[in-house]
Amino acid sequence: MLRNRRSDDMPLCPLYQNLLILQKDINEALPDFHEMILGLKKNDTDLSLASTVRDSHALQANAFQARKDLLARFSRFEQLARKIESMPPIVDGVTSAAQKRLQQAIFARASLFLQRNMIPLQGLSSQPTPNASKKKVPRHIQEQLHALKVQDTLLSEYMESAQKLRNLDDMASLRQSQEEIRAEIARLQQE
């Protein structure tokens, strides 16, 4: 009985469980997607017969759909993480600094997961094929820029939260991370 009451008192718990389930789903789907892309690349290099062209188009369509599904999961994952981070840090009706730190830690871990998996996903799925290399490379850079700009926006939000909490240590590390991301954005824009 106490266990159920505690879960009801902690609205963070179901959100965190959903976040973990979604992360597990993403981790299970990524290897299949990577295999699909590698198969597509191999098929592009072996392209010789008309039937192979049809097969290649089917593989491309499947890879596109798998990528779309993964990106939708990443989007839901990010939304859940943001919801957790923005929840009022209240435990048993009292504002809790420990709860706020927990929420921020969950959000930071989720952001790291996104950074580690989403940018390579975008890069991997945008590799040029022999027939369309001129179109794909700029799109790859655009996707990387988009992901970096999202991270830049997130860091700005974190910095604003840290400033409100007067957490100077977090402010310094967040500012350094933001400078690194902005330098990477500038580098990609020059390519």
Side-chain angles (χ1 to χ4, degrees):
M1 194 80 159
L2 178 64
R3 187 178 199 176
N4 290 339
R5 198 190 94 211
R6 186 70 178 154
S7 176
D8 292 341
D9 291 344
M10 302 273 305
L12 172 71
C13 291
L15 291 176
Y16 183 64
Q17 289 301 319
N18 289 339
L19 190 73
L20 292 177
I21 290 167
L22 194 50
Q23 181 176 342
K24 182 181 178 213
D25 289 347
I26 291 169
N27 281 331
E28 289 174 357
L30 279 173
D32 292 339
F33 177 74
H34 288 210
E35 273 188 44
M36 192 181 300
I37 295 299
L38 291 174
L40 189 59
K41 286 180 185 178
K42 183 180 184 310
N43 194 29
D44 282 346
T45 60
D46 294 343
L47 205 63
S48 60
L49 301 172
S51 64
T52 310
V53 171
R54 263 194 312 275
D55 292 344
S56 178
H57 288 303
L59 281 172
Q60 286 176 350
N62 290 342
F64 177 78
Q65 186 59 47
R67 179 178 179 269
K68 185 178 175 183
D69 293 344
L70 271 171
L71 289 175
R73 289 178 186 171
F74 278 121
S75 179
R76 285 194 309 270
F77 183 85
E78 182 181 5
Q79 288 170 355
L80 265 175
R82 283 179 182 267
K83 189 171 184 177
I84 288 170
E85 198 267 341
S86 66
M87 290 175 61
I90 297 174
V91 177
D92 295 328
V94 178
T95 300
S96 167
Q99 179 73 10
K100 185 62 178 174
R101 285 192 301 274
L102 174 64
Q103 290 170 221
Q104 288 173 335
I106 291 170
F107 188 74
R109 182 179 162 278
S111 295
L112 184 61
F113 175 78
L114 286 171
Q115 184 178 3
R116 254 192 263 146
N117 293 291
M118 195 168 169
I119 291 175
L121 168 73
Q122 290 173 338
L124 180 63
S125 60
S126 301
Q127 291 298 319
T129 59
N131 299 332
S133 62
K134 290 182 181 175
K135 289 184 179 179
K136 296 282 185 172
V137 174
R139 180 160 173 97
H140 168 71
I141 291 173
Q142 287 177 349
E143 289 176 345
Q144 282 185 331
L145 282 169
H146 174 72
L148 289 168
K149 287 177 181 178
V150 168
Q151 291 176 18
D152 183 41
T153 302
L154 287 173
L155 284 168
S156 293
E157 291 173 10
Y158 298 155
M159 287 172 55
E160 188 176 313
S161 295
Q163 187 174 17
K164 286 178 184 174
L165 296 171
R166 298 181 183 187
N167 192 336
L168 299 179
D169 291 338
D170 283 354
M171 282 287 296
S173 73
L174 290 169
R175 186 172 287 121
Q176 180 181 357
S177 295
Q178 190 173 46
E179 287 171 4
E180 290 170 4
I181 286 175
R182 287 181 176 174
E184 182 65 13
I185 289 170
R187 184 188 69 76
L188 285 172
Q189 287 175 336
Q190 290 176 357
E191 286 184 4

mmCIF file of all heavy atoms in Angstrom, residues 63-105:
data_model
loop_
_atom_site.group_PDB
_atom_site.id
_atom_site.type_symbol
_atom_site.label_atom_id
_atom_site.label_comp_id
_atom_site.label_asym_id
_atom_site.label_seq_id
_atom_site.Cartn_x
_atom_site.Cartn_y
_atom_site.Cartn_z
ATOM 1 N N ALA A 63 14.556 1.827 -45.639
ATOM 2 C CA ALA A 63 15.502 2.571 -44.796
ATOM 3 C C ALA A 63 14.928 3.935 -44.436
ATOM 4 O O ALA A 63 15.059 4.394 -43.296
ATOM 5 C CB ALA A 63 16.838 2.729 -45.508
ATOM 6 N N PHE A 64 14.279 4.571 -45.391
ATOM 7 C CA PHE A 64 13.670 5.883 -45.128
ATOM 8 C C PHE A 64 12.597 5.764 -44.048
ATOM 9 O O PHE A 64 12.539 6.573 -43.123
ATOM 10 C CB PHE A 64 13.074 6.461 -46.425
ATOM 11 C CG PHE A 64 12.373 7.768 -46.211
ATOM 12 C CD1 PHE A 64 13.090 8.945 -46.072
ATOM 13 C CD2 PHE A 64 10.984 7.824 -46.135
ATOM 14 C CE1 PHE A 64 12.441 10.157 -45.857
ATOM 15 C CE2 PHE A 64 10.326 9.028 -45.920
ATOM 16 C CZ PHE A 64 11.065 10.188 -45.786
ATOM 17 N N GLN A 65 11.752 4.723 -44.147
ATOM 18 C CA GLN A 65 10.691 4.531 -43.163
ATOM 19 C C GLN A 65 11.271 4.212 -41.786
ATOM 20 O O GLN A 65 10.811 4.727 -40.769
ATOM 21 C CB GLN A 65 9.732 3.424 -43.606
ATOM 22 C CG GLN A 65 8.529 3.264 -42.697
ATOM 23 C CD GLN A 65 7.689 4.526 -42.589
ATOM 24 O OE1 GLN A 65 7.375 5.156 -43.583
ATOM 25 N NE2 GLN A 65 7.331 4.912 -41.374
ATOM 26 N N ALA A 66 12.304 3.357 -41.753
ATOM 27 C CA ALA A 66 12.943 3.004 -40.476
ATOM 28 C C ALA A 66 13.563 4.241 -39.838
ATOM 29 O O ALA A 66 13.461 4.451 -38.626
ATOM 30 C CB ALA A 66 13.994 1.928 -40.694
ATOM 31 N N ARG A 67 14.197 5.068 -40.656
ATOM 32 C CA ARG A 67 14.804 6.306 -40.155
ATOM 33 C C ARG A 67 13.729 7.245 -39.612
ATOM 34 O O ARG A 67 13.865 7.829 -38.539
ATOM 35 C CB ARG A 67 15.588 6.993 -41.265
ATOM 36 C CG ARG A 67 16.235 8.285 -40.831
ATOM 37 C CD ARG A 67 17.036 8.875 -41.990
ATOM 38 N NE ARG A 67 17.639 10.120 -41.579
ATOM 39 C CZ ARG A 67 17.052 11.309 -41.731
ATOM 40 N NH1 ARG A 67 15.873 11.401 -42.293
ATOM 41 N NH2 ARG A 67 17.656 12.397 -41.316
ATOM 42 N N LYS A 68 12.629 7.363 -40.337
ATOM 43 C CA LYS A 68 11.513 8.217 -39.914
ATOM 44 C C LYS A 68 10.960 7.742 -38.565
ATOM 45 O O LYS A 68 10.710 8.553 -37.664
ATOM 46 C CB LYS A 68 10.425 8.189 -40.989
ATOM 47 C CG LYS A 68 9.268 9.108 -40.741
ATOM 48 C CD LYS A 68 8.284 9.038 -41.898
ATOM 49 C CE LYS A 68 7.051 9.856 -41.607
ATOM 50 N NZ LYS A 68 6.051 9.764 -42.659
ATOM 51 N N ASP A 69 10.791 6.419 -38.425
ATOM 52 C CA ASP A 69 10.298 5.852 -37.167
ATOM 53 C C ASP A 69 11.267 6.126 -36.018
ATOM 54 O O ASP A 69 10.846 6.490 -34.906
ATOM 55 C CB ASP A 69 10.073 4.346 -37.301
ATOM 56 C CG ASP A 69 8.934 4.001 -38.246
ATOM 57 O OD1 ASP A 69 8.122 4.892 -38.573
ATOM 58 O OD2 ASP A 69 8.863 2.834 -38.681
ATOM 59 N N LEU A 70 12.557 5.947 -36.280
ATOM 60 C CA LEU A 70 13.555 6.204 -35.233
ATOM 61 C C LEU A 70 13.565 7.675 -34.823
ATOM 62 O O LEU A 70 13.634 7.996 -33.635
ATOM 63 C CB LEU A 70 14.954 5.797 -35.702
ATOM 64 C CG LEU A 70 15.345 4.359 -35.431
ATOM 65 C CD1 LEU A 70 16.653 4.018 -36.136
ATOM 66 C CD2 LEU A 70 15.479 4.100 -33.940
ATOM 67 N N LEU A 71 13.495 8.557 -35.801
ATOM 68 C CA LEU A 71 13.491 9.988 -35.476
ATOM 69 C C LEU A 71 12.244 10.364 -34.668
ATOM 70 O O LEU A 71 12.315 11.203 -33.765
ATOM 71 C CB LEU A 71 13.604 10.836 -36.745
ATOM 72 C CG LEU A 71 14.973 10.799 -37.419
ATOM 73 C CD1 LEU A 71 14.940 11.567 -38.736
ATOM 74 C CD2 LEU A 71 16.065 11.344 -36.501
ATOM 75 N N ALA A 72 11.113 9.719 -34.952
ATOM 76 C CA ALA A 72 9.899 9.967 -34.165
ATOM 77 C C ALA A 72 10.096 9.497 -32.723
ATOM 78 O O ALA A 72 9.681 10.171 -31.776
ATOM 79 C CB ALA A 72 8.700 9.260 -34.795
ATOM 80 N N ARG A 73 10.759 8.347 -32.559
ATOM 81 C CA ARG A 73 11.046 7.861 -31.202
ATOM 82 C C ARG A 73 11.997 8.811 -30.479
ATOM 83 O O ARG A 73 11.811 9.094 -29.289
ATOM 84 C CB ARG A 73 11.666 6.462 -31.255
ATOM 85 C CG ARG A 73 10.693 5.389 -31.655
ATOM 86 C CD ARG A 73 11.376 4.051 -31.731
ATOM 87 N NE ARG A 73 10.474 3.047 -32.242
ATOM 88 C CZ ARG A 73 10.834 1.828 -32.573
ATOM 89 N NH1 ARG A 73 12.093 1.452 -32.426
ATOM 90 N NH2 ARG A 73 9.971 0.965 -33.037
ATOM 91 N N PHE A 74 13.006 9.286 -31.193
ATOM 92 C CA PHE A 74 13.927 10.249 -30.576
ATOM 93 C C PHE A 74 13.187 11.508 -30.162
ATOM 94 O O PHE A 74 13.449 12.077 -29.100
ATOM 95 C CB PHE A 74 15.071 10.621 -31.536
ATOM 96 C CG PHE A 74 16.196 9.643 -31.559
ATOM 97 C CD1 PHE A 74 16.553 9.006 -32.729
ATOM 98 C CD2 PHE A 74 16.927 9.366 -30.413
ATOM 99 C CE1 PHE A 74 17.609 8.108 -32.761
ATOM 100 C CE2 PHE A 74 17.983 8.476 -30.431
ATOM 101 C CZ PHE A 74 18.323 7.837 -31.603
ATOM 102 N N SER A 75 12.258 11.951 -30.979
ATOM 103 C CA SER A 75 11.474 13.142 -30.653
ATOM 104 C C SER A 75 10.636 12.923 -29.396
ATOM 105 O O SER A 75 10.596 13.779 -28.502
ATOM 106 C CB SER A 75 10.584 13.504 -31.836
ATOM 107 O OG SER A 75 9.803 14.625 -31.533
ATOM 108 N N ARG A 76 9.964 11.761 -29.308
ATOM 109 C CA ARG A 76 9.181 11.449 -28.102
ATOM 110 C C ARG A 76 10.090 11.354 -26.874
ATOM 111 O O ARG A 76 9.737 11.819 -25.784
ATOM 112 C CB ARG A 76 8.415 10.134 -28.289
ATOM 113 C CG ARG A 76 7.216 10.260 -29.195
ATOM 114 C CD ARG A 76 6.274 9.077 -29.106
ATOM 115 N NE ARG A 76 6.897 7.785 -29.262
ATOM 116 C CZ ARG A 76 7.078 7.140 -30.415
ATOM 117 N NH1 ARG A 76 6.675 7.708 -31.532
ATOM 118 N NH2 ARG A 76 7.645 5.950 -30.449
ATOM 119 N N PHE A 77 11.268 10.764 -27.069
ATOM 120 C CA PHE A 77 12.232 10.637 -25.976
ATOM 121 C C PHE A 77 12.626 12.025 -25.470
ATOM 122 O O PHE A 77 12.637 12.282 -24.265
ATOM 123 C CB PHE A 77 13.469 9.871 -26.473
ATOM 124 C CG PHE A 77 14.494 9.606 -25.419
ATOM 125 C CD1 PHE A 77 14.400 8.502 -24.589
ATOM 126 C CD2 PHE A 77 15.582 10.457 -25.259
ATOM 127 C CE1 PHE A 77 15.359 8.248 -23.619
ATOM 128 C CE2 PHE A 77 16.544 10.218 -24.298
ATOM 129 C CZ PHE A 77 16.428 9.109 -23.468
ATOM 130 N N GLU A 78 12.929 12.925 -26.405
ATOM 131 C CA GLU A 78 13.320 14.288 -26.018
ATOM 132 C C GLU A 78 12.169 15.012 -25.312
ATOM 133 O O GLU A 78 12.375 15.702 -24.319
ATOM 134 C CB GLU A 78 13.765 15.085 -27.243
ATOM 135 C CG GLU A 78 14.219 16.486 -26.903
ATOM 136 C CD GLU A 78 14.644 17.290 -28.110
ATOM 137 O OE1 GLU A 78 14.502 16.818 -29.248
ATOM 138 O OE2 GLU A 78 15.121 18.422 -27.900
ATOM 139 N N GLN A 79 10.938 14.838 -25.794
ATOM 140 C CA GLN A 79 9.782 15.475 -25.167
ATOM 141 C C GLN A 79 9.585 14.981 -23.737
ATOM 142 O O GLN A 79 9.316 15.785 -22.834
ATOM 143 C CB GLN A 79 8.527 15.222 -25.993
ATOM 144 C CG GLN A 79 8.488 15.980 -27.294
ATOM 145 C CD GLN A 79 7.354 15.532 -28.198
ATOM 146 O OE1 GLN A 79 6.635 14.575 -27.896
ATOM 147 N NE2 GLN A 79 7.194 16.209 -29.321
ATOM 148 N N LEU A 80 9.735 13.673 -23.533
ATOM 149 C CA LEU A 80 9.612 13.123 -22.182
ATOM 150 C C LEU A 80 10.698 13.684 -21.268
ATOM 151 O O LEU A 80 10.425 14.039 -20.117
ATOM 152 C CB LEU A 80 9.728 11.600 -22.222
ATOM 153 C CG LEU A 80 8.447 10.799 -22.296
ATOM 154 C CD1 LEU A 80 8.748 9.317 -22.443
ATOM 155 C CD2 LEU A 80 7.573 11.030 -21.089
ATOM 156 N N ALA A 81 11.922 13.741 -21.774
ATOM 157 C CA ALA A 81 13.036 14.258 -20.972
ATOM 158 C C ALA A 81 12.790 15.715 -20.595
ATOM 159 O O ALA A 81 13.032 16.120 -19.451
ATOM 160 C CB ALA A 81 14.354 14.107 -21.733
ATOM 161 N N ARG A 82 12.298 16.499 -21.536
ATOM 162 C CA ARG A 82 11.992 17.912 -21.248
ATOM 163 C C ARG A 82 10.881 18.034 -20.201
ATOM 164 O O ARG A 82 10.928 18.898 -19.335
ATOM 165 C CB ARG A 82 11.566 18.637 -22.520
ATOM 166 C CG ARG A 82 12.693 19.008 -23.434
ATOM 167 C CD ARG A 82 12.109 19.700 -24.664
ATOM 168 N NE ARG A 82 13.135 20.028 -25.604
ATOM 169 C CZ ARG A 82 13.759 21.202 -25.639
ATOM 170 N NH1 ARG A 82 13.454 22.134 -24.778
ATOM 171 N NH2 ARG A 82 14.690 21.420 -26.526
ATOM 172 N N LYS A 83 9.889 17.160 -20.328
ATOM 173 C CA LYS A 83 8.781 17.189 -19.368
ATOM 174 C C LYS A 83 9.284 16.882 -17.961
ATOM 175 O O LYS A 83 8.894 17.536 -16.988
ATOM 176 C CB LYS A 83 7.707 16.183 -19.798
ATOM 177 C CG LYS A 83 6.437 16.284 -19.011
ATOM 178 C CD LYS A 83 5.352 15.415 -19.619
ATOM 179 C CE LYS A 83 4.053 15.601 -18.870
ATOM 180 N NZ LYS A 83 2.963 14.841 -19.479
ATOM 181 N N ILE A 84 10.166 15.894 -17.854
ATOM 182 C CA ILE A 84 10.745 15.545 -16.553
ATOM 183 C C ILE A 84 11.539 16.725 -15.994
ATOM 184 O O ILE A 84 11.409 17.075 -14.826
ATOM 185 C CB ILE A 84 11.635 14.285 -16.674
ATOM 186 C CG1 ILE A 84 10.762 13.050 -16.880
ATOM 187 C CG2 ILE A 84 12.533 14.123 -15.451
ATOM 188 C CD1 ILE A 84 11.520 11.791 -17.240
ATOM 189 N N GLU A 85 12.342 17.343 -16.850
ATOM 190 C CA GLU A 85 13.204 18.448 -16.393
ATOM 191 C C GLU A 85 12.386 19.659 -15.958
ATOM 192 O O GLU A 85 12.754 20.375 -15.025
ATOM 193 C CB GLU A 85 14.182 18.829 -17.504
ATOM 194 C CG GLU A 85 15.375 19.628 -17.038
ATOM 195 C CD GLU A 85 15.163 21.125 -17.145
ATOM 196 O OE1 GLU A 85 14.278 21.561 -17.894
ATOM 197 O OE2 GLU A 85 15.905 21.859 -16.477
ATOM 198 N N SER A 86 11.231 19.873 -16.601
ATOM 199 C CA SER A 86 10.451 21.080 -16.308
ATOM 200 C C SER A 86 9.406 20.894 -15.205
ATOM 201 O O SER A 86 8.734 21.849 -14.822
ATOM 202 C CB SER A 86 9.759 21.571 -17.584
ATOM 203 O OG SER A 86 8.792 20.630 -18.010
ATOM 204 N N MET A 87 9.272 19.674 -14.697
ATOM 205 C CA MET A 87 8.304 19.433 -13.625
ATOM 206 C C MET A 87 8.679 20.215 -12.369
ATOM 207 O O MET A 87 9.865 20.400 -12.087
ATOM 208 C CB MET A 87 8.279 17.944 -13.257
ATOM 209 C CG MET A 87 7.673 17.045 -14.292
ATOM 210 S SD MET A 87 7.830 15.311 -13.809
ATOM 211 C CE MET A 87 6.906 15.306 -12.291
ATOM 212 N N PRO A 88 7.695 20.654 -11.610
ATOM 213 C CA PRO A 88 8.019 21.288 -10.326
ATOM 214 C C PRO A 88 8.697 20.251 -9.417
ATOM 215 O O PRO A 88 8.211 19.130 -9.296
ATOM 216 C CB PRO A 88 6.667 21.699 -9.759
ATOM 217 C CG PRO A 88 5.677 21.532 -10.844
ATOM 218 C CD PRO A 88 6.260 20.640 -11.882
ATOM 219 N N PRO A 89 9.807 20.620 -8.799
ATOM 220 C CA PRO A 89 10.547 19.661 -7.963
ATOM 221 C C PRO A 89 9.928 19.527 -6.575
ATOM 222 O O PRO A 89 10.524 19.894 -5.561
ATOM 223 C CB PRO A 89 11.945 20.270 -7.898
ATOM 224 C CG PRO A 89 11.706 21.737 -8.001
ATOM 225 C CD PRO A 89 10.511 21.902 -8.903
ATOM 226 N N ILE A 90 8.734 18.974 -6.527
ATOM 227 C CA ILE A 90 7.999 18.896 -5.268
ATOM 228 C C ILE A 90 7.888 17.441 -4.828
ATOM 229 O O ILE A 90 7.486 16.578 -5.606
ATOM 230 C CB ILE A 90 6.605 19.531 -5.412
ATOM 231 C CG1 ILE A 90 6.774 21.015 -5.736
ATOM 232 C CG2 ILE A 90 5.777 19.328 -4.161
ATOM 233 C CD1 ILE A 90 5.501 21.737 -6.047
ATOM 234 N N VAL A 91 8.259 17.187 -3.593
ATOM 235 C CA VAL A 91 8.137 15.862 -2.984
ATOM 236 C C VAL A 91 7.350 16.038 -1.690
ATOM 237 O O VAL A 91 7.706 16.858 -0.850
ATOM 238 C CB VAL A 91 9.526 15.247 -2.692
ATOM 239 C CG1 VAL A 91 9.388 13.915 -1.986
ATOM 240 C CG2 VAL A 91 10.332 15.109 -3.969
ATOM 241 N N ASP A 92 6.278 15.269 -1.553
ATOM 242 C CA ASP A 92 5.409 15.344 -0.377
ATOM 243 C C ASP A 92 4.956 16.781 -0.104
ATOM 244 O O ASP A 92 4.933 17.240 1.034
ATOM 245 C CB ASP A 92 6.114 14.768 0.859
ATOM 246 C CG ASP A 92 6.390 13.282 0.715
ATOM 247 O OD1 ASP A 92 5.586 12.595 0.045
ATOM 248 O OD2 ASP A 92 7.406 12.819 1.267
ATOM 249 N N GLY A 93 4.643 17.503 -1.176
ATOM 250 C CA GLY A 93 4.127 18.854 -1.046
ATOM 251 C C GLY A 93 5.157 19.927 -0.751
ATOM 252 O O GLY A 93 4.802 21.079 -0.543
ATOM 253 N N VAL A 94 6.449 19.556 -0.741
ATOM 254 C CA VAL A 94 7.506 20.517 -0.412
ATOM 255 C C VAL A 94 8.505 20.577 -1.569
ATOM 256 O O VAL A 94 8.880 19.545 -2.135
ATOM 257 C CB VAL A 94 8.243 20.083 0.883
ATOM 258 C CG1 VAL A 94 9.366 21.044 1.218
ATOM 259 C CG2 VAL A 94 7.259 19.979 2.034
ATOM 260 N N THR A 95 8.941 21.788 -1.899
ATOM 261 C CA THR A 95 9.949 21.941 -2.936
ATOM 262 C C THR A 95 11.257 21.320 -2.457
ATOM 263 O O THR A 95 11.709 21.585 -1.349
ATOM 264 C CB THR A 95 10.172 23.436 -3.266
ATOM 265 O OG1 THR A 95 8.928 23.972 -3.722
ATOM 266 C CG2 THR A 95 11.221 23.617 -4.337
ATOM 267 N N SER A 96 11.847 20.502 -3.326
ATOM 268 C CA SER A 96 13.040 19.744 -2.947
ATOM 269 C C SER A 96 14.192 20.032 -3.909
ATOM 270 O O SER A 96 14.069 19.800 -5.116
ATOM 271 C CB SER A 96 12.718 18.249 -2.955
ATOM 272 O OG SER A 96 13.885 17.479 -2.885
ATOM 273 N N ALA A 97 15.305 20.510 -3.357
ATOM 274 C CA ALA A 97 16.497 20.749 -4.173
ATOM 275 C C ALA A 97 17.044 19.424 -4.708
ATOM 276 O O ALA A 97 17.527 19.349 -5.846
ATOM 277 C CB ALA A 97 17.557 21.470 -3.357
ATOM 278 N N ALA A 98 16.956 18.371 -3.920
ATOM 279 C CA ALA A 98 17.435 17.049 -4.359
ATOM 280 C C ALA A 98 16.595 16.550 -5.536
ATOM 281 O O ALA A 98 17.133 15.975 -6.489
ATOM 282 C CB ALA A 98 17.377 16.058 -3.205
ATOM 283 N N GLN A 99 15.292 16.783 -5.475
ATOM 284 C CA GLN A 99 14.416 16.377 -6.580
ATOM 285 C C GLN A 99 14.779 17.143 -7.846
ATOM 286 O O GLN A 99 14.813 16.574 -8.927
ATOM 287 C CB GLN A 99 12.953 16.619 -6.198
ATOM 288 C CG GLN A 99 11.960 16.253 -7.271
ATOM 289 C CD GLN A 99 11.800 14.755 -7.447
ATOM 290 O OE1 GLN A 99 12.283 13.965 -6.651
ATOM 291 N NE2 GLN A 99 11.130 14.367 -8.509
ATOM 292 N N LYS A 100 15.057 18.428 -7.717
ATOM 293 C CA LYS A 100 15.426 19.234 -8.881
ATOM 294 C C LYS A 100 16.729 18.729 -9.485
ATOM 295 O O LYS A 100 16.865 18.624 -10.708
ATOM 296 C CB LYS A 100 15.550 20.720 -8.478
ATOM 297 C CG LYS A 100 15.817 21.637 -9.652
ATOM 298 C CD LYS A 100 14.666 21.597 -10.642
ATOM 299 C CE LYS A 100 14.886 22.541 -11.805
ATOM 300 N NZ LYS A 100 13.856 22.399 -12.826
ATOM 301 N N ARG A 101 17.704 18.385 -8.634
ATOM 302 C CA ARG A 101 18.980 17.848 -9.129
ATOM 303 C C ARG A 101 18.758 16.515 -9.835
ATOM 304 O O ARG A 101 19.364 16.242 -10.868
ATOM 305 C CB ARG A 101 19.990 17.698 -7.996
ATOM 306 C CG ARG A 101 20.585 19.025 -7.539
ATOM 307 C CD ARG A 101 21.793 18.828 -6.632
ATOM 308 N NE ARG A 101 21.491 18.059 -5.434
ATOM 309 C CZ ARG A 101 21.011 18.558 -4.291
ATOM 310 N NH1 ARG A 101 20.791 19.860 -4.195
ATOM 311 N NH2 ARG A 101 20.773 17.786 -3.258
ATOM 312 N N LEU A 102 17.869 15.695 -9.289
ATOM 313 C CA LEU A 102 17.551 14.417 -9.914
ATOM 314 C C LEU A 102 16.948 14.642 -11.303
ATOM 315 O O LEU A 102 17.343 14.001 -12.280
ATOM 316 C CB LEU A 102 16.576 13.623 -9.039
ATOM 317 C CG LEU A 102 16.043 12.326 -9.639
ATOM 318 C CD1 LEU A 102 17.171 11.318 -9.872
ATOM 319 C CD2 LEU A 102 14.972 11.729 -8.733
ATOM 320 N N GLN A 103 16.004 15.549 -11.399
ATOM 321 C CA GLN A 103 15.374 15.856 -12.677
ATOM 322 C C GLN A 103 16.401 16.386 -13.680
ATOM 323 O O GLN A 103 16.390 15.998 -14.851
ATOM 324 C CB GLN A 103 14.246 16.876 -12.481
ATOM 325 C CG GLN A 103 13.045 16.306 -11.763
ATOM 326 C CD GLN A 103 12.032 17.358 -11.365
ATOM 327 O OE1 GLN A 103 11.489 17.288 -10.283
ATOM 328 N NE2 GLN A 103 11.760 18.329 -12.206
ATOM 329 N N GLN A 104 17.286 17.248 -13.232
ATOM 330 C CA GLN A 104 18.314 17.781 -14.115
ATOM 331 C C GLN A 104 19.288 16.684 -14.554
ATOM 332 O O GLN A 104 19.735 16.653 -15.698
ATOM 333 C CB GLN A 104 19.075 18.926 -13.434
ATOM 334 C CG GLN A 104 18.241 20.181 -13.314
ATOM 335 C CD GLN A 104 18.931 21.266 -12.495
ATOM 336 O OE1 GLN A 104 19.775 20.991 -11.650
ATOM 337 N NE2 GLN A 104 18.555 22.508 -12.757
ATOM 338 N N ALA A 105 19.612 15.771 -13.648
ATOM 339 C CA ALA A 105 20.516 14.662 -13.980
ATOM 340 C C ALA A 105 19.863 13.734 -15.010
ATOM 341 O O ALA A 105 20.526 13.283 -15.950
ATOM 342 C CB ALA A 105 20.888 13.886 -12.720
#
